[in-house]
Amino acid sequence: MTSTQPALRHPSLSPTAEWWKAAVVYQVYPRSFADSNGDGIGDIQGIIDHLDHLEDLGVDVVWLSPVYASPQDDNGYDISDYYAVDPTFGTLEDLDELIAALHARGMKLVMDLVVNHTSDEHKWFTESRSSRQSPKRDWYIWRDPRDGAEPNNWGSFFSGSAWELDETTGQYFLHLFSKKQPDLNWDNPEVRAAVYQMMNWWLDRGIDGFRMDVISFISKHPELPDGAITDGQSWGEGIQFYGSGPKVHEYLQEMHREVFSHRDADLITVGEMVDATPELARLYTDQDRRELDMVFHFEHVGLDHGPGGKFTRKPVDLVAIKHSFARWQNALADVGWNSLYWNNHDQPRVVSRFGNDTTYWHESATALATVLHLMRGTPYIYQGEELGMTNMSFQSIEDFRDLESLNYYNEANQEGDSSRAADLLAGIAVGGRDNARTPVQWDGTPNAGFTTGTPWIPVNPNHEWLNAAAQRTDPGSIFAWYRTLVRLRHEEPVIVDGRFELLHAKDPQIFAYTRTNDTTALLVVANCSSEPFTFSSSIGTKWADAEVLLRNQPDGSLAQELRPWEVVVLKKRLA
Ligand code: ISL
Ligand code: CA
């Protein structure tokens, strides 16, 4: 550790190796967190103003979604200058102040690294598109038309083709996301060197690591082959040709050498990987391979997607959710490491999605938090999740801001199919990303304490009773529950390193597992349903002498019945 590194919040944790295994990360989506200057958009000073909230919660690391210069086509995931802070969010000095303020409180800062693509307004891209002879031409992925049309059949994540024609030079460029997010050509060594240089610049400035946006997409199959077209889809599934492509491990190892290897060990890296399987994640997160510390996979957050994708929904299947978690827990038990999340800025709110946000709001929010946080891995809390924030009651298309939702809606409307457009709107209302992006509910005043101006996206009306001010001082609140979960991870080594074993795998109502190390065993049992659960065989007898570590009901025993969304955690000392 050098003197510029912050003192660790929990000195009992090893100061160097793999400290992040005992850490909890909190994600800030700056646009929606807190607005300090009344323009209706959250900003860096707004974050600085609310650090007490994060310190109270006890989190170790803040992951900040992009604040770099950006035209904001995709709320900052389209970067036009990696070395500048967008005036929407503040200045570089504000960011330095945030880094110092976090470090002073023993917290670390992880920045978002968005390098699969840039903004089309980045100077690298404006140079690249200026002519076929531009020295930067090869920094992006340009192809001639095929039969007068797109070079292949890949679809963009945000609807339509993944290719856009540049009229001036007569070639198409690839954009897996919006057409304002052209993909960089990672096969060009100059591109990689420029990215590593930028990463080093930020680490030298004092940040503590990176969350790497869609990082498994950086190596495309050199021939860019067509993808298979599934029924009812207009575009081919290209992901098998760009997800974890041929050189992705080589590039991540090179990045490790060029950026991380000569630095102190207390940095943290997490890669977002839409295509990750447990087998791939073992490769990416095996410390001996020197790639990443952990990845975000998408398996559990895809389980309620219907046949038409995320905007068609199917009922939540608890058995499938448990099966998925157990598969990942087991696959990364000996090698690698899991990240644990229900929410982020792209996902609907967990209490509305997998819980019950009306009758059992408090119970289901705490039960879902518990089953996630007591597994093996590094937990991530998305802003507002610690308050049990819910999905938004969107009324009409005017309430949405997210380009993904709007693009799909406009596409359906253009096809003139009004019933499809209506179905899509219903799907967007429950599955769309804006559910996660309504302002953080600080208090019960008209704009929830988020802004004194007009918020860029509507505030959820339930902020009148669901807010931080109401919860911060209430020992029975969801906030207090999260604080306890964070504290337990810091205090109980079995939560960090214990073996995981799923119990009652096929039961459709309860989520139960044990964590065990040489000295301690934990039993976590949650009724993940809105009906009472009656034990057929008593799960409790073996644990009769155990200590109750946590319960979200005033009393109860594991011998007979669990109330709807009741969760109980027991702890036993082993011989
Ligand atoms: O929500 C999704 C689209 O259906 C996800 O698949 C999402 O696009 C995917 O998780 C990649 O997300 C990341 O990169 C995107 C950005 O829009 C997301 O906000 C970011 O988390 C492009 O940079
Ligand atoms: Ca602002």
Side-chain angles (χ1 to χ4, degrees):
M1 247 175 34
T2 66
S3 55
T4 57
Q5 294 290 344
L8 271 178
R9 189 176 183 86
H10 303 283
S12 62
L13 307 178
S14 157
T16 51
E18 307 186 357
W19 59 272
W20 33 264
K21 291 190 172 177
V24 179
V25 183
Y26 185 95
Q27 184 192 353
V28 170
Y29 191 68
R31 172 171 287 270
S32 305
F33 190 72
D35 173 24
S36 70
N37 63 353
D39 67 356
I41 303 176
D43 46 51
I44 295 171
Q45 284 300 331
I47 304 170
I48 294 171
D49 291 344
H50 288 84
L51 291 184
D52 281 352
H53 181 83
L54 304 185
E55 194 175 0
D56 250 28
L57 189 57
V59 294
D60 307 272
V61 179
V62 170
W63 151 26
L64 180 61
S65 277
V67 293
Y68 310 94
S70 161
Q72 304 290 324
D73 183 54
D74 187 16
N75 293 351
Y77 282 90
D78 49 318
I79 296 169
S80 52
D81 184 351
Y82 291 106
Y83 293 90
V85 168
D86 197 276
T88 311
F89 300 119
T91 63
L92 209 44
E93 287 66 46
D94 293 326
L95 194 58
D96 287 341
E97 190 183 330
L98 175 64
I99 296 170
L102 284 167
H103 287 179
R105 292 172 189 248
M107 290 183 269
K108 292 172 184 278
L109 183 68
V110 161
M111 298 276 280
D112 224 299
L113 180 79
V114 189
V115 290
N116 172 69
H117 44 269
T118 67
S119 164
D120 66 337
E121 297 179 36
H122 194 292
K123 67 175 187 305
W124 297 343
F125 187 74
T126 53
E127 278 178 52
S128 180
R129 86 183 306 166
S130 66
S131 91
R132 291 195 188 205
Q133 284 72 44
S134 160
K136 293 255 173 359
R137 187 63 170 182
D138 185 51
W139 280 43
Y140 293 83
I141 301 173
W142 292 98
R143 290 290 184 279
D144 288 328
R146 182 175 69 181
D147 306 327
E150 291 84 7
N152 75 15
N153 71 0
W154 296 358
S156 137
F157 275 82
F158 295 156
S159 94
S161 167
W163 295 94
E164 181 74 5
L165 179 65
D166 174 61
E167 305 275 352
T168 325
T169 57
Q171 286 190 310
Y172 284 85
F173 67 85
L174 179 71
H175 62 90
L176 294 180
F177 294 90
S178 100
K179 58 182 177 220
K180 288 186 66 61
Q181 293 167 302
D183 282 55
L184 281 164
N185 176 18
W186 271 70
D187 294 330
N188 183 323
E190 290 173 13
V191 168
R192 305 201 300 277
V195 169
Y196 306 151
Q197 186 177 26
M198 176 270 286
M199 294 172 74
N200 277 313
W201 186 85
W202 280 103
L203 290 170
D204 290 344
R205 217 170 175 95
I207 70 161
D208 305 293
F210 294 102
R211 174 269 185 188
M212 304 181 188
D213 193 66
V214 290
I215 198 70
S216 59
F217 292 173
I218 57 176
S219 168
K220 279 85 176 169
H221 187 299
E223 280 146 40
L224 309 180
D226 279 338
I229 299 186
T230 43
D231 288 351
Q233 304 291 320
S234 348
W235 302 98
E237 277 286 325
I239 195 161
Q240 59 171 306
F241 300 115
Y242 59 74
S244 299
K247 298 204 163 160
V248 70
H249 297 289
E250 183 186 322
Y251 295 159
L252 288 175
Q253 287 168 13
E254 179 184 75
M255 176 193 285
H256 193 282
R257 271 197 313 279
E258 298 295 320
V259 179
F260 300 110
S261 64
H262 56 278
R263 294 178 184 271
D264 296 318
D266 36 357
L267 300 175
I268 172 173
T269 57
V270 50
E272 187 205 26
M273 303 201 173
V274 179
D275 61 290
T277 60
E279 295 67 36
L280 283 168
R282 279 174 68 94
L283 298 177
Y284 286 121
T285 68
D286 177 349
Q287 288 290 307
D288 291 339
R289 291 172 53 90
R290 296 173 194 278
E291 297 183 21
L292 299 172
D293 293 332
M294 61 193 109
V295 306
F296 291 127
H297 73 80
F298 281 64
E299 195 173 279
H300 62 305
V301 292
L303 293 173
D304 59 352
H305 292 185
K310 67 188 283 189
F311 298 135
T312 60
R313 315 295 292 179
K314 69 179 187 210
V316 178
D317 178 351
L318 182 69
V319 174
I321 292 178
K322 293 191 292 186
H323 178 79
S324 168
F325 275 117
R327 193 164 101 93
W328 282 83
Q329 290 285 300
N330 294 332
L332 301 187
D334 55 342
V335 166
W337 191 248
N338 272 293
S339 51
L340 305 169
Y341 75 96
W342 286 127
N343 273 122
N344 59 42
H345 62 293
D346 295 331
Q347 300 294 331
R349 293 283 181 179
V350 65
V351 66
S352 304
R353 183 181 195 177
F354 297 133
N356 176 327
D357 65 6
T358 54
T359 321
Y360 299 111
W361 168 69
H362 184 281
E363 293 84 345
S364 65
T366 49
L368 288 167
T370 309
V371 294
L372 187 82
H373 276 249
L374 299 187
M375 281 191 275
R376 193 155 184 270
T378 300
Y380 288 73
I381 301 172
Y382 176 66
Q383 64 186 36
E385 182 181 344
E386 77 282 14
L387 306 172
M389 275 180 65
T390 66
N391 275 359
M392 178 66 167
S393 46
F394 291 110
Q395 304 297 327
S396 78
I397 193 68
E398 279 73 46
D399 291 342
F400 294 98
R401 299 288 177 275
D402 173 24
L403 88 164
E404 178 187 43
S405 300
L406 296 173
N407 283 0
Y408 277 100
Y409 181 78
N410 291 336
E411 187 187 69
N413 253 355
Q414 270 158 20
E415 287 162 12
D417 183 342
S418 61
S419 94
R420 195 165 111 71
D423 283 353
L424 197 63
L425 194 59
I428 291 170
V430 288
R433 307 197 294 183
D434 281 334
N435 283 300
R437 299 176 180 184
T438 62
V440 171
Q441 297 167 200
W442 296 107
D443 61 35
T445 62
N447 286 326
F450 166 71
T451 181
T452 54
T454 307
W456 70 278
I457 188 171
V459 173
N460 195 317
N462 66 15
H463 73 275
E464 286 179 11
W465 57 269
L466 195 175
N467 61 62
Q471 293 193 28
R472 282 275 294 278
T473 51
D474 173 3
S477 66
I478 295 172
F479 179 85
W481 188 270
Y482 270 87
R483 185 168 50 203
T484 302
L485 290 173
V486 174
R487 179 175 54 76
L488 283 177
R489 176 163 294 266
H490 295 146
E491 289 176 0
E492 294 284 353
V494 69
I495 297 174
V496 178
D497 63 19
R499 291 187 303 283
F500 170 92
E501 193 189 346
L502 185 68
L503 308 176
H504 300 270
K506 300 230 159 65
D507 189 286
Q509 246 185 310
I510 59 164
F511 196 152
Y513 60 83
T514 55
R515 302 292 312 281
T516 316
N517 66 12
D518 292 344
T519 60
T520 315
L522 290 188
L523 171 67
V524 180
V525 187
N527 176 1
C528 289
S529 82
S530 297
E531 308 298 326
F533 172 81
T534 311
F535 290 101
S536 49
S537 63
S538 174
I539 200 172
T541 41
K542 259 190 9 206
W543 291 78
D545 56 342
E547 168 198 349
V548 178
L549 206 54
L550 271 181
R551 62 157 58 114
N552 67 350
Q553 297 278 349
D555 52 46
S557 103
L558 284 182
Q560 312 105 26
E561 194 180 274
L562 285 177
R563 283 162 276 205
W565 294 101
E566 180 168 357
V567 61
V568 183
V569 181
L570 299 182
K571 172 182 163 181
K572 224 167 43 166
R573 290 250 155 263
L574 303 174

